[in-house]
Amino acid sequence: ACSINIDRAGFIATNGGIISLPSVTSYVGNTGVVFQSFEALGTGSLVDLSNVTTFKGATFPNVDHSIEARDGGKVDLSGLLEIADGNTQISSEESGSIVDLSSLQTFVKSGRGTSILSVKNSGAVLASSLAVLGAVSLISDNGELQLAGLIEYLGDDNLAEATGGGLIELINLQTLQGGTLTVRADGVGSVITVDGVTGLTEEELNGGVVNII
């Protein structure tokens, strides 16, 4: 099979459409002022990049690459091992939506910009193998973000925030390297459960609960 280079490209599947690129094994995001995305929007919609093993986000200051599943869509990056550079925002919104990152081990941001891993309204991000995060914010708004494999957080000013009854579990976190992690639970039913590592800042707002284990 021939190799396909999709660097700096974006893909959007809607209304049950399927984009499948089995010969693609790597991706490099934009270096200029262009926002690109992989999006699956709507029930049955699929962006299948399951053989991609390395991914580099957008590297221009304050520009990010978005990976988004919404309203029952799925983005399959199940073979991805690392996101090692640039700015990347990953989100899954509404029940039945899935971003599959089941092989991802490392997700580290670099440069000026924002990297996020988020779930909203029962959307799912599958990331059971994720062990290292660096300068990536975790957001759960009426969803569940379970990262039992996470053992190390790198960088400064990291944030894990649960709102709207959202749940975040970081039960095996062992080390904060070079910075801090703020864990913020805001609103009744919002709960963050985290190992009590040095450098942790807890914020409980409006009935939210932070459980230190």
Side-chain angles (χ1 to χ4, degrees):
C2 64
S3 171
I4 300 175
N5 186 326
I6 64 166
D7 290 348
R8 294 174 289 282
F11 300 97
I12 302 176
T14 63
N15 299 319
I18 296 174
I19 299 171
S20 180
L21 296 167
S23 66
V24 176
T25 59
S26 65
Y27 182 83
V28 177
N30 263 314
T31 56
V33 193
V34 178
F35 291 79
Q36 288 288 19
S37 61
F38 302 153
E39 299 179 45
L41 311 177
T43 301
S45 300
L46 172 66
V47 176
D48 185 350
L49 294 166
S50 54
N51 290 323
V52 171
T53 58
T54 61
F55 179 98
K56 183 177 181 178
T59 53
F60 194 87
N62 300 315
V63 173
D64 62 74
H65 185 100
S66 174
I67 299 171
E68 180 181 2
R70 188 154 42 95
D71 299 325
K74 180 178 181 179
V75 178
D76 188 345
L77 285 161
S78 56
L80 183 62
L81 299 175
E82 65 174 352
I83 302 172
D85 199 3
N87 304 314
T88 307
Q89 299 196 2
I90 300 170
S91 64
S92 182
E93 184 174 343
E94 306 300 337
S95 180
S97 303
I98 299 172
V99 178
D100 190 341
L101 303 169
S102 52
S103 297
L104 184 66
Q105 299 171 15
T106 304
F107 182 6
V108 177
K109 182 193 86 74
S110 67
R112 288 166 46 199
T114 304
S115 285
I116 295 172
L117 186 62
S118 72
V119 293
K120 184 175 182 179
N121 294 337
S122 301
V125 172
L126 308 181
S128 59
S129 299
L130 186 59
V132 179
L133 281 173
V136 177
S137 294
L138 302 175
I139 307 293
S140 177
D141 181 1
N142 188 32
E144 295 186 16
L145 196 52
Q146 299 180 354
L147 300 176
L150 186 66
I151 59 174
E152 187 172 23
Y153 230 128
L154 311 175
D156 202 6
D157 297 326
N158 293 303
L159 172 67
E161 182 176 53
T163 61
L167 306 176
I168 298 177
E169 292 187 358
L170 309 174
I171 59 175
N172 291 308
L173 185 62
Q174 298 174 10
T175 307
L176 298 178
Q177 288 281 4
T180 59
L181 172 62
T182 297
V183 288
R184 179 185 301 141
D186 188 351
V188 174
S190 301
V191 179
I192 299 178
T193 303
V194 59
D195 205 316
V197 295
T198 302
L200 204 63
T201 300
E202 308 159 43
E203 296 182 5
E204 296 179 324
L205 306 173
N206 303 311
V209 175
V210 176
N211 293 323
I212 304 297
I213 58 175

